Amino acid sequence: ALSRHWTARTPQEQAEFVRLFTDLLERTYIGRIESYSGEKIVYTGEVIDGPYATVRSKVVTTRRSADTPLDYRLHLREGRWKVYDVLIDHVSFVATYRSEFARILQREPYAALVDRLRKHNDDAAALVRMR
């Protein structure tokens, strides 16, 4: 998601970014996913190209007239397939965040992006505690 900005980060900065970004994804999307009820996810196929794969599926719902494509992109690392991107209705999480982070990093230093991620995660955590 950081694209070319990743290599300029120290190992400590990379580890912190991974932690913050993981928290962001979990807090933003897990609740939305858990709110689905009655929908089915149907496996539709897979494509493997060396150490990369795409698992294709779709969300079948009675609330909408059309199914929603849901694809997972995976990378084979250390003998295990690991998801590195999710596409919902053909829109990539990684591409979306990459463009947003690039926009921020054009105007502000890396530290400002990290501060934004921390604040977003802190705000989301506070909302969870209030429930």
Coordinates of all heavy atoms in Angstrom, one line a residue, residues 8-63:
A8 N 11.9 3.2 1.5 CA 12.6 4.3 2.2 C 12.4 4.2 3.8 O 13.0 5.0 4.5 CB 12.0 5.6 1.8
R9 N 11.6 3.3 4.2 CA 11.3 3.1 5.6 C 12.3 2.2 6.3 O 12.7 1.2 5.7 CB 9.9 2.6 5.8 CG 8.8 3.3 5.1 CD 8.4 4.7 5.7 NE 9.3 5.6 6.1 CZ 9.6 6.8 5.5 NH1 9.1 7.0 4.3 NH2 10.5 7.6 6.0
T10 N 12.6 2.4 7.5 CA 13.5 1.5 8.3 C 12.7 0.3 8.7 O 11.4 0.3 8.6 CB 13.9 2.2 9.6 OG1 12.8 2.4 10.5 CG2 14.6 3.5 9.4
P11 N 13.3 -0.8 9.1 CA 12.6 -2.0 9.5 C 11.6 -1.7 10.6 O 10.5 -2.3 10.6 CB 13.7 -3.0 9.9 CG 14.9 -2.6 9.1 CD 14.8 -1.1 9.0
Q12 N 12.0 -0.9 11.5 CA 11.1 -0.5 12.6 C 9.8 0.3 12.1 O 8.7 0.0 12.6 CB 11.8 0.4 13.7 CG 12.9 -0.4 14.4 CD 14.2 -0.4 13.6 OE1 14.4 0.2 12.6 NE2 15.2 -1.2 14.1
E13 N 10.1 1.2 11.2 CA 8.9 1.9 10.6 C 8.0 1.0 9.8 O 6.8 1.1 9.8 CB 9.4 3.0 9.7 CG 10.1 4.2 10.4 CD 10.7 5.2 9.4 OE1 11.3 4.8 8.4 OE2 10.6 6.4 9.7
Q14 N 8.6 0.0 9.1 CA 7.8 -0.9 8.3 C 7.0 -1.8 9.3 O 5.8 -2.0 9.0 CB 8.7 -1.8 7.5 CG 9.4 -1.1 6.3 CD 10.4 -2.0 5.5 OE1 10.8 -3.1 6.0 NE2 10.8 -1.5 4.4
A15 N 7.6 -2.2 10.3 CA 6.8 -3.1 11.3 C 5.7 -2.2 11.9 O 4.6 -2.8 12.1 CB 7.8 -3.6 12.4
E16 N 5.9 -1.0 12.3 CA 4.9 -0.1 12.8 C 3.8 0.1 11.8 O 2.6 0.0 12.1 CB 5.4 1.2 13.3 CG 4.4 2.1 13.9 CD 4.9 3.5 14.3 OE1 5.8 4.0 13.7 OE2 4.3 4.0 15.2
F17 N 4.2 0.4 10.6 CA 3.2 0.6 9.5 C 2.3 -0.7 9.3 O 1.0 -0.5 9.3 CB 3.8 1.0 8.2 CG 2.8 1.2 7.1 CD1 2.1 2.4 7.0 CD2 2.5 0.2 6.2 CE1 1.2 2.6 6.0 CE2 1.5 0.3 5.3 CZ 0.8 1.6 5.2
V18 N 2.9 -1.8 9.3 CA 2.1 -3.1 9.1 C 1.1 -3.2 10.3 O 0.0 -3.5 10.1 CB 3.1 -4.3 9.0 CG1 2.3 -5.6 9.2 CG2 3.8 -4.3 7.7
R19 N 1.6 -2.9 11.5 CA 0.7 -3.1 12.7 C -0.5 -2.1 12.6 O -1.6 -2.4 12.7 CB 1.5 -2.8 14.0 CG 0.6 -3.0 15.2 CD 1.4 -2.7 16.5 NE 2.1 -1.4 16.5 CZ 1.5 -0.2 16.7 NH1 0.2 -0.2 16.9 NH2 2.2 0.9 16.7
L20 N -0.2 -0.8 12.2 CA -1.2 0.2 12.1 C -2.2 0.0 11.0 O -3.4 0.1 11.1 CB -0.6 1.6 12.0 CG 0.2 2.2 13.2 CD1 1.0 3.4 12.8 CD2 -0.8 2.5 14.3
F21 N -1.6 -0.5 9.9 CA -2.5 -0.7 8.7 C -3.4 -1.9 8.9 O -4.5 -1.9 8.6 CB -1.6 -0.9 7.4 CG -2.4 -0.9 6.2 CD1 -3.3 0.0 5.9 CD2 -2.1 -1.9 5.2 CE1 -4.1 0.0 4.7 CE2 -2.8 -2.0 4.0 CZ -3.8 -1.0 3.8
T22 N -2.8 -3.0 9.6 CA -3.6 -4.1 9.9 C -4.7 -3.8 10.9 O -5.9 -4.2 10.7 CB -2.7 -5.2 10.6 OG1 -1.7 -5.6 9.7 CG2 -3.5 -6.4 11.0
D23 N -4.4 -3.0 11.9 CA -5.5 -2.5 12.8 C -6.6 -1.7 12.1 O -7.8 -1.9 12.3 CB -4.9 -1.6 13.9 CG -4.1 -2.4 14.9 OD1 -4.1 -3.6 14.9 OD2 -3.4 -1.7 15.7
L24 N -6.1 -0.8 11.1 CA -7.1 -0.1 10.4 C -8.0 -1.0 9.6 O -9.3 -0.8 9.6 CB -6.3 0.9 9.4 CG -7.2 1.6 8.3 CD1 -8.0 2.7 9.0 CD2 -6.3 2.1 7.2
L25 N -7.5 -2.0 8.9 CA -8.3 -2.9 8.1 C -9.3 -3.7 9.0 O -10.4 -3.8 8.7 CB -7.4 -3.8 7.3 CG -6.6 -3.2 6.2 CD1 -5.7 -4.2 5.5 CD2 -7.5 -2.5 5.1
E26 N -8.7 -4.2 10.1 CA -9.6 -5.0 11.0 C -10.7 -4.1 11.5 O -11.9 -4.5 11.5 CB -8.8 -5.6 12.1 CG -7.9 -6.7 11.7 CD -7.0 -7.2 12.8 OE1 -7.0 -6.7 13.9 OE2 -6.3 -8.2 12.5
R27 N -10.4 -2.9 12.0 CA -11.4 -2.1 12.6 C -12.4 -1.6 11.6 O -13.6 -1.4 11.9 CB -10.8 -0.9 13.4 CG -10.0 -1.3 14.6 CD -9.5 -0.1 15.3 NE -8.5 -0.4 16.3 CZ -8.7 -1.0 17.5 NH1 -9.9 -1.4 17.8 NH2 -7.7 -1.3 18.3
T28 N -12.0 -1.3 10.4 CA -12.9 -0.8 9.4 C -13.8 -1.8 8.7 O -14.9 -1.5 8.5 CB -12.0 -0.1 8.3 OG1 -11.2 0.9 8.9 CG2 -12.9 0.6 7.2
Y29 N -13.2 -3.0 8.5 CA -14.0 -3.9 7.7 C -14.5 -5.1 8.4 O -15.5 -5.7 7.9 CB -13.1 -4.4 6.5 CG -12.8 -3.2 5.6 CD1 -11.5 -2.7 5.6 CD2 -13.7 -2.7 4.8 CE1 -11.2 -1.6 4.8 CE2 -13.4 -1.6 3.9 CZ -12.2 -1.1 4.0 OH -11.9 0.0 3.2
I30 N -14.0 -5.6 9.5 CA -14.5 -6.7 10.2 C -15.9 -6.5 10.6 O -16.8 -7.4 10.4 CB -13.6 -7.1 11.4 CG1 -12.2 -7.6 10.9 CG2 -14.2 -8.2 12.2 CD1 -12.2 -8.8 10.0
G31 N -16.2 -5.4 11.2 CA -17.6 -5.1 11.6 C -18.6 -5.1 10.4 O -19.7 -5.6 10.5
R32 N -18.1 -4.6 9.3 CA -19.0 -4.6 8.1 C -19.2 -6.0 7.6 O -20.4 -6.4 7.3 CB -18.4 -3.8 7.0 CG -18.4 -2.3 7.3 CD -17.8 -1.5 6.1 NE -17.6 -0.2 6.5 CZ -17.0 0.7 5.8 NH1 -16.6 0.4 4.6 NH2 -16.9 2.0 6.2
I33 N -18.2 -6.8 7.6 CA -18.3 -8.2 7.2 C -19.3 -9.0 8.1 O -20.1 -9.8 7.7 CB -17.0 -8.9 7.1 CG1 -16.2 -8.3 5.9 CG2 -17.1 -10.4 6.9 CD1 -14.7 -8.6 5.9
E34 N -19.1 -8.8 9.4 CA -19.9 -9.5 10.4 C -21.4 -9.1 10.4 O -22.2 -9.8 10.8 CB -19.3 -9.3 11.8 CG -18.0 -10.0 12.0 CD -17.4 -9.7 13.4 OE1 -17.8 -8.8 14.1 OE2 -16.4 -10.4 13.7
S35 N -21.7 -7.9 9.8 CA -23.0 -7.4 9.7 C -23.9 -8.1 8.6 O -25.1 -8.0 8.6 CB -23.1 -5.9 9.5 OG -22.7 -5.6 8.2
Y36 N -23.2 -8.8 7.7 CA -23.9 -9.6 6.7 C -24.7 -10.7 7.4 O -24.2 -11.4 8.3 CB -22.9 -10.2 5.7 CG -22.4 -9.2 4.7 CD1 -21.1 -8.8 4.8 CD2 -23.2 -8.6 3.7 CE1 -20.6 -7.8 3.9 CE2 -22.7 -7.7 2.8 CZ -21.4 -7.3 2.9 OH -20.9 -6.4 2.0
S37 N -25.9 -10.9 6.9 CA -26.7 -12.1 7.5 C -27.5 -12.7 6.3 O -28.1 -11.9 5.6 CB -27.6 -11.6 8.6 OG -28.8 -11.1 8.2
G38 N -27.4 -13.9 6.2 CA -28.1 -14.6 5.2 C -27.4 -14.7 3.8 O -27.9 -15.4 2.9
E39 N -26.4 -14.0 3.6 CA -25.6 -14.0 2.4 C -24.7 -15.2 2.4 O -24.3 -15.7 3.4 CB -24.8 -12.7 2.2 CG -25.6 -11.5 1.9 CD -26.1 -10.8 3.2 OE1 -25.8 -11.3 4.3 OE2 -26.8 -9.9 3.0
K40 N -24.5 -15.7 1.2 CA -23.6 -16.8 1.0 C -22.4 -16.3 0.2 O -22.5 -15.5 -0.7 CB -24.2 -17.9 0.3 CG -25.4 -18.6 1.0 CD -25.9 -19.7 0.2 CE -27.2 -20.3 0.9 NZ -27.8 -21.3 0.1
I41 N -21.2 -16.9 0.5 CA -20.0 -16.6 -0.4 C -19.8 -17.9 -1.1 O -19.7 -19.0 -0.5 CB -18.8 -16.2 0.5 CG1 -19.1 -14.9 1.2 CG2 -17.6 -16.2 -0.4 CD1 -18.0 -14.4 2.1
V42 N -19.8 -17.8 -2.4 CA -19.7 -19.0 -3.3 C -18.4 -18.9 -4.0 O -18.1 -17.9 -4.7 CB -20.9 -19.0 -4.3 CG1 -20.7 -20.2 -5.3 CG2 -22.2 -19.0 -3.6
Y43 N -17.6 -20.0 -3.9 CA -16.3 -20.1 -4.6 C -16.6 -20.3 -6.1 O -17.5 -21.2 -6.5 CB -15.6 -21.3 -4.0 CG -14.4 -21.8 -4.9 CD1 -13.2 -21.1 -4.8 CD2 -14.5 -22.9 -5.7 CE1 -12.1 -21.6 -5.5 CE2 -13.4 -23.3 -6.4 CZ -12.2 -22.7 -6.4 OH -11.2 -23.1 -7.1
T44 N -15.9 -19.6 -7.0 CA -16.2 -19.7 -8.4 C -14.9 -20.1 -9.2 O -15.1 -20.4 -10.4 CB -16.7 -18.4 -9.0 OG1 -15.8 -17.3 -8.8 CG2 -18.1 -18.0 -8.4
G45 N -13.8 -20.1 -8.6 CA -12.6 -20.6 -9.3 C -11.3 -20.0 -8.8 O -11.3 -19.2 -7.9
E46 N -10.2 -20.4 -9.4 CA -8.9 -19.9 -9.0 C -8.0 -19.9 -10.2 O -8.2 -20.6 -11.1 CB -8.3 -20.8 -7.9 CG -8.0 -22.2 -8.4 CD -7.6 -23.1 -7.2 OE1 -8.2 -23.1 -6.2 OE2 -6.6 -23.9 -7.5
V47 N -7.0 -19.0 -10.1 CA -6.0 -18.9 -11.1 C -4.6 -18.9 -10.4 O -4.5 -18.1 -9.4 CB -6.1 -17.6 -12.0 CG1 -5.0 -17.5 -12.9 CG2 -7.5 -17.6 -12.7
I48 N -3.7 -19.8 -10.7 CA -2.4 -19.8 -10.1 C -1.4 -19.5 -11.2 O -1.4 -20.1 -12.2 CB -2.1 -21.1 -9.4 CG1 -3.1 -21.4 -8.3 CG2 -0.7 -21.2 -8.9 CD1 -3.0 -22.8 -7.7
D49 N -0.5 -18.5 -10.8 CA 0.6 -18.1 -11.7 C 1.9 -18.0 -10.9 O 2.2 -17.0 -10.3 CB 0.2 -16.8 -12.4 CG 1.3 -16.3 -13.4 OD1 2.1 -17.1 -13.8 OD2 1.2 -15.1 -13.8
G50 N 2.6 -19.2 -10.9 CA 3.8 -19.2 -10.1 C 3.5 -19.0 -8.6 O 2.6 -19.7 -8.1
P51 N 4.1 -18.0 -7.9 CA 3.9 -17.8 -6.5 C 2.7 -16.9 -6.2 O 2.5 -16.5 -5.1 CB 5.2 -17.2 -6.0 CG 5.7 -16.4 -7.2 CD 5.3 -17.3 -8.4
Y52 N 1.9 -16.6 -7.2 CA 0.7 -15.7 -7.1 C -0.5 -16.5 -7.5 O -0.5 -17.4 -8.3 CB 0.9 -14.5 -7.9 CG 2.0 -13.6 -7.5 CD1 3.2 -13.7 -8.0 CD2 1.8 -12.7 -6.4 CE1 4.3 -12.9 -7.6 CE2 2.8 -11.9 -6.0 CZ 4.1 -12.0 -6.6 OH 5.1 -11.2 -6.1
A53 N -1.6 -16.2 -6.8 CA -2.9 -16.8 -7.1 C -4.0 -15.8 -6.9 O -3.9 -14.9 -6.1 CB -3.1 -18.0 -6.3
T54 N -5.1 -16.1 -7.6 CA -6.4 -15.3 -7.3 C -7.4 -16.3 -7.1 O -7.6 -17.3 -7.9 CB -6.7 -14.4 -8.5 OG1 -5.7 -13.5 -8.7 CG2 -8.0 -13.7 -8.2
V55 N -8.1 -16.2 -5.9 CA -9.3 -17.1 -5.6 C -10.5 -16.2 -5.9 O -10.7 -15.1 -5.3 CB -9.2 -17.6 -4.2 CG1 -10.5 -18.3 -3.8 CG2 -8.0 -18.4 -4.0
R56 N -11.3 -16.7 -6.8 CA -12.5 -15.9 -7.2 C -13.8 -16.5 -6.4 O -13.9 -17.7 -6.3 CB -12.8 -16.0 -8.7 CG -11.6 -15.4 -9.4 CD -11.9 -15.3 -10.9 NE -10.8 -14.9 -11.7 CZ -10.1 -13.8 -11.7 NH1 -10.5 -12.9 -10.8 NH2 -9.0 -13.6 -12.4
S57 N -14.6 -15.6 -5.9 CA -15.8 -16.0 -5.3 C -16.8 -14.8 -5.5 O -16.5 -13.8 -6.2 CB -15.6 -16.2 -3.8 OG -15.1 -15.0 -3.1
K58 N -18.0 -15.0 -5.0 CA -19.0 -14.0 -5.1 C -19.9 -14.1 -3.9 O -20.1 -15.1 -3.3 CB -19.8 -14.1 -6.4 CG -20.6 -15.4 -6.5 CD -21.3 -15.4 -7.9 CE -22.0 -16.8 -8.0 NZ -22.7 -16.9 -9.3
V59 N -20.4 -12.9 -3.5 CA -21.4 -12.8 -2.4 C -22.8 -12.9 -3.0 O -23.1 -12.0 -3.9 CB -21.2 -11.5 -1.6 CG1 -22.3 -11.4 -0.5 CG2 -19.8 -11.4 -1.0
V60 N -23.5 -13.9 -2.6 CA -24.9 -14.1 -3.2 C -25.9 -13.6 -2.1 O -25.8 -14.0 -1.0 CB -25.2 -15.6 -3.5 CG1 -26.6 -15.8 -4.0 CG2 -24.1 -16.1 -4.5
T61 N -26.7 -12.6 -2.5 CA -27.6 -12.0 -1.5 C -29.0 -11.9 -2.1 O -29.1 -11.8 -3.3 CB -27.1 -10.6 -1.1 OG1 -28.0 -10.0 -0.2 CG2 -26.9 -9.7 -2.3
T62 N -30.0 -11.9 -1.2 CA -31.3 -11.7 -1.7 C -31.7 -10.2 -1.7 O -32.8 -9.9 -2.3 CB -32.3 -12.5 -0.8 OG1 -32.1 -12.0 0.6 CG2 -32.0 -14.0 -0.9
R63 N -30.9 -9.4 -1.1 CA -31.2 -8.0 -1.0 C -30.9 -7.2 -2.3 O -31.4 -6.1 -2.5 CB -30.5 -7.3 0.2 CG -30.9 -7.8 1.5 CD -30.3 -7.1 2.6 NE -28.9 -7.5 2.7 CZ -28.0 -7.1 3.6 NH1 -28.4 -6.1 4.4 NH2 -26.8 -7.5 3.7

